[in-house]
């Protein structure tokens, strides 16, 4: 009886993809701590936190979109465009950082909302709309900067990407936690959060029940644009320059974090803190492989394999 109970408990645990991600995270930490002496150093852990923060914030917006059954491939390019616009406002026009940041975040929201309008009202597949927006945003960033980084940002601006709260906690981690808490409240304690899950489960039923589905879908893409702009803010501050090619391939990392966190790629099921676990796992994996001198090309192959495996597992669980 005792053995049976243990077996059932284990089976219950593995019903949740987030638990597998959590176990994988600890296994990777143990493995890399033995594989590299640098892994558990304070500097390296701080570096991991900074890297995870940017991808984690991007993944929050991606979670909103995927929960409705959509996808947003433009987040990396939007991150670059909004970052260069923020840098340009400060360098070329002498704007205070707070004003430049607000303009950049507003731009991200507008781009995300435009994506949402095309997806919800024109009924164009999200993969087509956001792929086109990825090209538009990347091209606009290159046009705006002439293809060169924008340097000469104010020293005070660097605090966002490289500063510490109370001299201990990296500011990017603080911003990431605030974004995750806000996302948790929206998804779990506000009516629009229930609509987002419901649309991913059965969009037609939600529409027939009187919910403004188009508005909700536009909202999730707006959130994705805002989180991309916040990531662009941190990246620009960290590098002390606006980089038009920043964020290339980051959309893949964001999708990987969401799927690894247990969110169903078809929508309707998932948890925002699962996304955090997915981002942490990816951050530790990338950092550990870098310390071991593994080629970036091999890392890209590994990420692709991990995404396919995670999607297969979540699909298998849904059928089960």
């Amino acid at each position: 009886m005792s053995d049976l109970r243990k077996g059932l408990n284990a089976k219950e645990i593995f019903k949740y993809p987030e638990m597998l991600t959590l176990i994988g995270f600890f296994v990777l930490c143990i493995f890399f701590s033995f594989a590299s002496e640098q892994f558990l150093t304070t500097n390296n852990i701080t570096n991991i936190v900074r890297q995870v923060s940017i991808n984690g914030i991007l993944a929050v917006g991606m979670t909103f979109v995927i929960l409705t059954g959509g996808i947003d491939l433009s987040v990396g390019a939007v991150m670059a465009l909004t970052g260069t616009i923020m840098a340009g406002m400060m360098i070329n026009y002498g704007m205070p950082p707070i004003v430049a940041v607000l303009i950049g975040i507003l731009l991200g929201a507008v781009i995300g909302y435009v994506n949402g309008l095309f997806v919800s009202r024109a009924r164009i597949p999200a993969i087509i709309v956001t792929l086109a927006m990825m090209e538009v945003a990347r091209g606009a960033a290159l046009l705006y900067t002439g293809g060169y980084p924008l340097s000469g940002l104010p020293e005070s601006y660097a605090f966002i990407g490289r500063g510490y709260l109370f001299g201990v906690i990296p500011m990017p981690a603080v911003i990431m936690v605030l974004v995750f808490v806000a996302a948790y409240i929206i998804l779990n304690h506000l009516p629009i959060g229930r609509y987002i899950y419901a649309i991913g489960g059965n969009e037609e039923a939600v529409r027939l029940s009187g919910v403004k589905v188009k508005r909700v879908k536009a909202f999730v893409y707006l959130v994705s644009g805002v989180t991309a702009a916040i990531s662009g803010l941190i990246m620009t501050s960290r590098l002390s320059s606006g980089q038009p090619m920043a964020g290339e391939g980051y959309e893949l990392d964001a999708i990987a974090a969401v799927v690894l966190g247990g969110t169903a790629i078809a929508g309707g099921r998932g948890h925002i803190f699962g996304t955090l676990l997915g981002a942490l796992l990816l951050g530790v994996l990338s950092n550990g492989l870098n310390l071991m001198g593994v080629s970036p090309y091999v890392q890209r192959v590994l990420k692709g394999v991990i995404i396919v495996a995670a999607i297969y597992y979540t699909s298998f669980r849904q059928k089960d």
Side-chain angles (χ1 to χ4, degrees), residues 184-246:
Y184 175 81
I185 293 171
I186 292 171
L187 289 174
N188 295 280
H189 295 285
L190 297 182
I192 195 169
R194 292 193 289 275
Y195 300 155
I196 290 170
Y197 278 99
I199 288 172
N202 190 332
E203 183 176 333
E204 189 59 26
V206 177
R207 181 180 289 108
L208 292 174
S209 67
V211 174
K212 304 292 185 185
V213 172
K214 293 177 181 176
R215 290 184 185 178
V216 177
K217 293 180 83 170
F219 172 75
V220 298
Y221 285 91
L222 182 150
V223 171
S224 185
V226 169
T227 53
I230 295 172
S231 295
L233 158 68
I234 295 173
M235 176 68 84
T236 305
S237 172
R238 188 178 172 192
L239 300 176
S240 291
S241 64
Q243 302 279 346
M245 294 306 293

Side-chain angles (χ1 to χ4, degrees), residues 40-92:
L40 289 180
T41 60
T42 304
N43 285 340
N44 190 54
I45 292 173
T46 303
N47 189 38
I48 292 174
V49 170
R50 292 186 195 281
Q51 290 176 342
V52 167
S53 300
I54 292 175
N55 186 38
I57 293 170
L58 272 182
V60 167
M62 192 66 77
T63 303
F64 275 69
V65 173
I66 290 180
L67 279 173
T68 63
I71 197 80
D72 189 350
L73 300 179
S74 67
V75 291
V78 172
M79 173 181 155
L81 176 60
T82 53
T84 53
I85 292 294
M86 291 179 204
M89 293 296 108
M90 287 181 274
I91 296 168
N92 298 330

Side-chain angles (χ1 to χ4, degrees), residues 29 32-33 36-41 44-45 48 284 287-288 291:
C29 287
F32 287 129
S33 65
S36 172
E37 294 180 353
Q38 297 179 2
F39 182 74
L40 289 180
T41 60
N44 190 54
I45 292 173
I48 292 174
V284 167
N287 180 267
L291 291 176

Side-chain angles (χ1 to χ4, degrees), residues 16-188:
Y16 301 97
E18 299 93 334
M19 291 305 299
L20 284 178
T21 307
L22 182 63
I23 293 169
F25 171 73
F26 284 118
V27 168
L28 284 178
C29 287
I30 294 169
F31 174 75
F32 287 129
S33 65
F34 284 103
S36 172
E37 294 180 353
Q38 297 179 2
F39 182 74
L40 289 180
T41 60
T42 304
N43 285 340
N44 190 54
I45 292 173
T46 303
N47 189 38
I48 292 174
V49 170
R50 292 186 195 281
Q51 290 176 342
V52 167
S53 300
I54 292 175
N55 186 38
I57 293 170
L58 272 182
V60 167
M62 192 66 77
T63 303
F64 275 69
V65 173
I66 290 180
L67 279 173
T68 63
I71 197 80
D72 189 350
L73 300 179
S74 67
V75 291
V78 172
M79 173 181 155
L81 176 60
T82 53
T84 53
I85 292 294
M86 291 179 204
M89 293 296 108
M90 287 181 274
I91 296 168
N92 298 330
Y93 302 102
M95 287 187 179
I98 183 64
V99 177
V101 167
L102 290 175
I103 290 173
I105 291 176
L106 179 62
L107 176 62
V110 170
I111 293 173
Y113 189 66
V114 170
N115 279 338
L117 287 181
F118 277 106
V119 172
S120 61
R121 297 191 180 276
R123 294 183 178 274
I124 301 174
I127 193 169
I128 302 297
V129 171
T130 57
L131 188 64
M133 185 59 79
M134 179 175 73
E135 286 301 301
V136 170
R138 183 70 67 188
L142 289 166
L143 279 172
Y144 182 68
T145 61
Y148 297 100
L150 296 176
S151 303
L153 293 168
E155 281 297 320
S156 59
Y157 188 68
F159 178 74
I160 299 170
R162 288 182 284 170
Y164 293 87
L165 182 66
F166 306 126
V168 179
I169 309 171
M171 277 305 295
V174 175
I175 297 171
M176 180 182 72
V177 169
L178 293 175
V179 171
F180 268 93
V181 170
Y184 175 81
I185 293 171
I186 292 171
L187 289 174
N188 295 280

